[in-house]
């Protein structure tokens, strides 16, 4: 559903450094249940919308990925991916990745994603996709600038209206991140060398205070979401690709290039 790396209510005093955190596969019912506990803490879904530990077990058994981030015996994050196929090509769809708030800003989200990449490449899988909310600028920066994913698809209200307080009753519009794991672009971004867009580009802006607007002015938030939707759909129809993400004091900016190849 999302890669959610900054939304939980744990106390910052509980946090340790990333050096104490280990990323490893989950393989037991107890570990899958621990993933669900993190999921519940982060998204707070109604029971009817939550991914169960049974689904985690199925993903593990059928060629997907279930990784946990552990500080000692405590799970503080996880990543869940399913095997997927499109146009005859196998890839992974990363449905969920989350780190509880007490462990935010310590690089643990990136550790989870890099473990997904490492394991996928070990099996000859060259692509991982996932969806993310275009109104979440921090996630956009992480996905595009830090990891080097590109975006060519927009899914309006993909999951329907969600019970999670994070989504504030807005349609669950999503961008699809495409992470081409062994591309020069991704290797460069992981090394800290972000792509510099050329001249043939568009910009789509999103206010950085969207989380506040969702609650304080829902009609304004819905208006902004609709504007972003229309701009993205128009750009993708004209063969633009999101290749970069930048920010200033008030806004985040998706940078799109036409006929981008990597």
């Amino acid at each position: 559903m999302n890669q959610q790396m900054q939304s939980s209510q744990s106390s910052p005093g509980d946090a340790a450094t990333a050096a104490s955190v280990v990323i490893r596969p989950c393989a037991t019912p107890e570990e899958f249940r621990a993933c669900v506990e993190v999921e519940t803490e982060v998204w707070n879904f109604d029971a009817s919308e939550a991914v169960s530990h049974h689904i985690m077990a199925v993903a593990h058994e059928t060629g997907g990925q279930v990784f946990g981030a552990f500080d000692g015996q405590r799970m503080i994050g996880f990543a869940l991916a399913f095997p997927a196929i499109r146009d005859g090509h196998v890839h992974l769809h990363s449905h969920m990745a989350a780190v509880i708030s007490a462990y935010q800003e310590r690089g643990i989200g990136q550790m989870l994603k890099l473990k997904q990449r490492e394991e996928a490449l070990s099996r000859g899988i060259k692509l991982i996709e996932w969806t993310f909310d275009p109104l979440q600028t921090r996630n956009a920066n992480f996905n595009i600038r830090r990891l080097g994913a590109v975006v060519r698809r927009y899914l309006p209200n993909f999951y329907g209206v969600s019970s999670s307080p994070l989504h504030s009753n807005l349609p669950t519009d999503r961008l699809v991140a495409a992470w081409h794991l062994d591309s020069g672009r991704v290797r460069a971004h992981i090394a800290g060398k972000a792509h510099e867009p050329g001249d043939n580009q568009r910009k789509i802006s999103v206010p950085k205070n969207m989380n506040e607007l969702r609650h304080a002015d829902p009609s304004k938030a819905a208006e902004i979401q609709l504007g972003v939707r229309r701009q993205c759909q128009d750009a993708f129809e004209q063969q633009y690709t999101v290749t970069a993400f930048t920010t200033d004091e008030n806004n985040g900016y998706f940078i799109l290039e036409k006929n981008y190849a990597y």
Side-chain angles (χ1 to χ4, degrees), residues 27-156:
T28 68
E30 293 75 21
E31 289 171 336
F32 300 140
R33 288 180 186 275
C35 291
V36 175
E37 290 175 3
V38 172
E39 173 194 357
T40 300
E41 181 173 352
V42 170
W43 282 285
N44 195 26
F45 289 124
D46 289 344
S48 63
E49 292 185 87
V51 174
S52 73
H53 66 281
H54 296 147
I55 299 300
M56 309 274 184
V58 171
H60 169 72
E61 182 63 25
T62 59
Q65 297 174 327
V66 188
F67 287 111
F70 293 87
D71 184 12
Q73 297 301 308
R74 180 189 182 192
M75 183 184 288
I76 51 83
F78 78 99
L80 166 67
F82 300 107
I85 189 166
R86 182 180 298 110
D87 300 327
H89 298 287
V90 174
H91 64 284
L92 291 169
H93 181 84
S94 184
H95 181 57
M96 285 181 159
V99 176
I100 64 174
S101 65
Y103 288 78
Q104 289 297 320
E105 306 299 335
R106 290 169 171 78
I108 298 166
Q110 187 161 12
M111 291 169 63
L112 280 164
K113 299 306 292 182
L114 293 181
K115 179 61 74 171
Q116 286 188 304
R117 175 179 182 266
E118 175 188 355
E119 194 278 338
L121 286 172
S122 75
R123 291 190 279 156
I125 298 171
K126 300 296 182 67
L127 173 65
I128 299 178
E129 293 186 341
W130 61 88
T131 65
F132 68 99
D133 186 345
L135 305 183
Q136 292 283 350
T137 57
R138 288 179 64 189
N139 282 348
N141 186 71
F142 177 72
N143 294 332
I144 299 165
R145 186 171 183 84
R146 296 275 299 280
L147 297 180
V150 296
V151 180
R152 291 190 172 99
R153 298 166 60 205
Y154 193 100
L155 306 176

Side-chain angles (χ1 to χ4, degrees), residues 1 93 95 131 153-161 171-176 229:
M1 174 171 287
H93 181 84
H95 181 57
T131 65
R153 298 166 60 205
Y154 193 100
L155 306 176
N157 200 24
F158 184 53
Y159 302 104
V161 176
T172 50
D173 286 17
R174 294 292 181 265
L175 292 170
V176 180
R229 178 193 293 182

Side-chain angles (χ1 to χ4, degrees), residues 144 151 195-198 200-204 240-246 253-257:
I144 299 165
V151 180
H195 169 72
E196 295 295 336
N200 188 10
Q201 63 176 252
R202 288 187 180 185
K203 286 187 179 182
I204 298 174
Y240 280 84
T241 299
V242 176
T243 65
F245 191 83
T246 62
Y253 300 92
F254 292 99
I255 312 299
L256 301 91
E257 295 178 83

